[in-house]
Amino acid sequence: MNNNSNLKTIAAAILSCLLFFSMYYMHSIKTSLTQESASYFVELLDKTAKLIKIKADANFQILRTIVPEASKLDKLSLNDRLYFLNSKLENSPFKKLAYADNTGMALLSSGENLDIITTNFYQTSFYKHENCIENAVKLC
């Protein structure tokens, strides 16, 4: 009976060791996967931020090319202004363009007029609303 008791003790010790090592192994796998997924997400966020910056820089470059030509819009008729805005939209990523005069009235490429002073247009734009023009038009 003494021999059988020793075997049970050895078996219990071996099972305890196996359980401990398997728990340690599972913990190390969990830690490794957590660190790997965190580094993957950081890398993904970094690449996304770089792509957004590239797109934004490209959009600003397009706007920089339009601005010198837009200074002539004050002298044009309403139809010529609309034609100018719509011609600039053809090969650009923008959905709408607007031209604001000195009185605070903006002409949208869709033909709508918008008072950008009373509609908090710039405040809406500042807080990065996606469709600040559409939001401002709804306020009118």
Side-chain angles (χ1 to χ4, degrees):
M1 216 146 104
N2 195 11
N3 201 12
N4 197 12
S5 176
N6 286 341
L7 286 176
K8 287 181 182 180
T9 305
I10 292 173
I14 290 173
L15 284 175
S16 296
C17 287
L18 285 174
L19 180 65
F20 173 76
F21 285 124
S22 65
M23 288 175 57
Y24 177 77
Y25 181 71
M26 294 296 272
H27 176 71
S28 64
I29 287 175
K30 176 188 166 210
T31 304
S32 173
L33 287 175
T34 302
Q35 290 173 349
E36 186 176 332
S37 62
S39 68
Y40 172 76
F41 284 124
V42 167
E43 181 180 341
L44 183 64
L45 287 173
D46 185 47
K47 286 181 180 180
T48 303
K50 286 179 183 176
L51 285 174
I52 290 172
K53 184 179 180 337
I54 289 169
K55 290 257 188 198
D57 288 344
N59 289 344
F60 280 122
Q61 189 59 35
I62 292 169
L63 290 175
R64 283 186 195 107
T65 61
I66 295 173
V67 168
E69 298 175 49
S71 64
K72 304 170 193 169
L73 286 176
D74 284 336
K75 300 170 187 158
L76 299 177
S77 68
L78 181 65
N79 287 338
D80 290 338
R81 288 179 187 175
L82 281 173
Y83 176 76
F84 174 82
L85 291 173
N86 286 318
S87 68
K88 296 302 175 185
L89 277 178
E90 287 177 5
N91 296 321
S92 75
F94 305 114
K95 293 181 180 180
K96 288 185 182 180
L97 285 176
Y99 170 73
D101 60 16
N102 293 335
T103 64
M105 291 302 295
L107 173 66
L108 277 59
S109 55
S110 59
E112 300 169 83
N113 285 319
L114 174 67
D115 184 359
I116 59 173
I117 294 173
T118 60
T119 57
N120 296 330
F121 177 79
Y122 292 107
Q123 181 181 3
T124 307
S125 177
F126 178 75
Y127 289 115
K128 297 179 176 52
H129 288 247
E130 274 184 39
N131 300 314
C132 58
I133 290 175
E134 291 173 13
N135 290 340
V137 169
K138 289 177 188 173
L139 293 174
C140 289

